[in-house]
Amino acid sequence: MQIRHISRFGQALGVLIIIIGFMYPTPAAHASWLDRVKEIYQLPSNVEQIQKDYEATKQQLEEQKDKLSEAVRQSQEIEDRLLSQNEALKKDNEQLQERLKAMEQVALDKDKRNRKITYMVITAAALVVGYFLLGRVFRFFVWRRQKRGLR
């Protein structure tokens, strides 16, 4: 009787487990063992494809690296050329500044000399005019004295 009791208990427990199993939502379906075997056989082709993609990506990276080094080298050459041109232009600019200062000095000296000459001409003209005026004034006074002395 005990064996019957256990087997009935086992049957009830089995039914209960089945009912509980149906009540819980089932997880996503898993691939069967056959699908897993197929995947294992397909893995080498996937690995080969991944390896080909890796090699292609590696080649592209090398090409990009080469292009970048070429661009950096060209950029450096351009920068060096521009720096040398900048130095040459800086020297030219300094020479032009010196020439400009010299020309300004010449212009200032010329203006100074012209003012000096103008003052000298005006002074000489004033002296000549003054000489004639003083001569006339002196004659006028002499003439007046003589006129008074005659009377």
Side-chain angles (χ1 to χ4, degrees), residues 26-89:
T26 58
H30 292 289
S32 68
W33 66 273
L34 185 60
D35 290 336
R36 290 191 190 261
V37 169
K38 286 181 184 177
E39 283 180 15
I40 290 173
Y41 283 112
Q42 289 176 354
L43 269 178
S45 67
N46 288 344
V47 168
E48 289 174 8
Q49 182 63 36
I50 290 172
Q51 192 170 8
K52 286 178 184 176
D53 291 344
Y54 170 76
E55 291 297 326
T57 304
K58 186 177 175 182
Q59 182 65 28
Q60 288 177 350
L61 181 63
E62 286 296 322
E63 290 172 4
Q64 291 296 326
K65 184 179 172 185
D66 292 343
K67 286 179 184 178
L68 181 62
S69 348
E70 180 64 23
V72 166
R73 185 189 61 75
Q74 288 177 353
S75 173
Q76 186 65 37
E77 287 175 0
I78 290 171
E79 182 180 356
D80 292 341
R81 189 180 78 235
L82 290 176
L83 284 174
S84 66
Q85 284 178 353
N86 191 22
E87 288 298 320
L89 289 174

